[in-house]
């Protein structure tokens, strides 16, 4: 196995053999170091004011695997640093940041963890949808999104479900179509997320998305029931 990126801590797991009989290198995401390094990353551009954004976050093992892919693809192809891997439920949530923790905790207590299914890795056309993992629009995902909107933006009215494209971004940036195609090829070759793969959404996070990605701030986090 290759070495882990600098923001990862590698450990050898004798209980997890690979095909050739050797140990498999596992990596754990060092969030504190990652947060510090974001501010030093030269590619953090793309000013954005999305208010508060409500994110669905995969379970730790799957989140770590996606975070590693995000780091490695950025190191290979460039782009803005961001973390963690997430599916945006909706944005903006026009609530005071001071109320976000209580709202997230209340929602998490009533919303069970749920599965989402990977459709494919594909290229987008916007900075924050440069290359991403497209997710299937399942009843469970759409119901969870509706619950999140009701908790954080009850005055918003009917959601724009037809326009909603559930996804987990793996690269932020302003790449050309040719560059995006190369990133998609690399992601598929490396098995970042395979069609039909099931990911477990285990937490909700609320982020203040203002300015460069390095300045984005997590204001609330809660594990789903």
């Amino acid at each position: 196995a290759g070495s882990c990126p600098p923001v990862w801590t590698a450990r050898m797991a004798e209980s997890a053999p690979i095909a050739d009989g050797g140990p498999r290198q596992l990596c754990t995401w060092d969030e504190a170091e990652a947060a510090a390094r974001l501010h030093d990353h030269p590619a953090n551009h793309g000013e954005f004011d999305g208010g508060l954004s409500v994110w669905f976050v995969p379970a730790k093992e799957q989140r770590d695997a996606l975070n590693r892919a995000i780091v490695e693809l950025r190191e290979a192809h460039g782009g803005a640093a961001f973390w963690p891997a997430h599916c945006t439920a909706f944005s903006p949530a026009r609530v005071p940041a001071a109320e976000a923790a209580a709202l997230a905790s209340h929602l998490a207590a009533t919303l069970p963890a749920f599965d989402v299914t990977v459709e494919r890795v594909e290229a987008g056309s916007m900075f924050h949808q440069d290359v991403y993992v497209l997710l299937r629009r399942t009843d469970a995902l759409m119901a969870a999104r509706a619950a999140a909107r009701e908790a954080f933006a009850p005055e918003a009215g009917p959601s724009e479900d037809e326009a909603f494209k559930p996804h987990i971004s793996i690269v932020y940036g302003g790449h050309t179509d040719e560059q995006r195609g190369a990133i998609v090829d690399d992601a598929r070759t490396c098995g970042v997320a395979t069609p039909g793969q099931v990911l477990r959404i285990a937490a909700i996070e609320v982020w203040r998305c203002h300015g460069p990605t390095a300045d984005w701030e997590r204001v609330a986090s809660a594990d789903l029931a």
Side-chain angles (χ1 to χ4, degrees):
S3 61
C4 291
V7 295
W8 290 77
T9 302
R11 61 185 175 87
M12 304 307 290
E14 295 181 358
S15 60
I18 54 178
D20 61 8
R24 182 173 62 196
Q25 177 173 273
L26 302 180
C27 297
T28 55
W29 185 244
D30 186 336
E31 292 194 349
E33 184 180 352
R37 284 168 58 88
L38 284 180
H39 291 271
D40 298 327
H41 199 282
N44 282 330
H45 49 81
E47 295 272 339
F48 182 66
D49 183 6
L52 294 182
S53 184
V54 180
W55 294 356
F56 293 138
V57 180
K60 179 174 173 50
E61 183 176 350
Q62 295 174 325
R63 181 176 72 243
D64 282 355
L66 287 164
N67 284 341
R68 181 179 183 182
I70 288 168
V71 171
E72 292 180 339
L73 288 170
R74 186 184 71 242
E75 289 180 345
H77 297 277
F82 69 98
W83 66 278
H86 63 276
C87 171
T88 300
F90 73 95
S91 180
R94 301 297 187 188
V95 299
E99 298 178 10
L103 290 171
S105 295
H106 177 74
L107 175 61
T110 59
L111 181 65
F114 61 95
D115 292 337
V116 294
T117 303
V118 172
E119 289 279 15
R120 59 187 173 274
V121 177
E122 67 178 29
S125 58
M126 295 184 288
F127 186 92
H128 298 103
Q129 293 182 23
D130 204 30
V131 177
Y132 52 83
V133 176
L134 182 66
L135 302 175
R136 191 170 301 164
R137 288 167 56 105
T138 61
D139 291 343
L141 174 56
M142 299 307 288
R145 179 176 188 252
R149 285 181 62 89
E150 177 63 24
F152 284 89
E155 76 291 344
S159 63
E160 305 81 9
D161 283 347
E162 291 301 319
F164 177 56
K165 180 190 291 184
H167 66 278
I168 297 175
S169 288
I170 51 177
V171 175
Y172 282 176
H175 293 91
T176 65
D177 289 343
E178 182 178 0
Q179 291 169 332
R180 287 173 176 143
I183 297 170
V184 169
D185 288 343
D186 278 359
R188 290 174 176 169
T189 299
C190 295
V192 170
T194 57
Q197 180 180 353
V198 175
L199 304 174
R200 186 72 169 172
I201 300 299
I204 185 170
E205 295 189 356
V206 183
W207 284 68
R208 180 185 289 111
C209 300
H210 177 72
T213 55
D215 294 337
W216 290 9
E217 177 188 5
R218 182 170 55 194
V219 299
S221 178
D223 292 336
L224 298 182

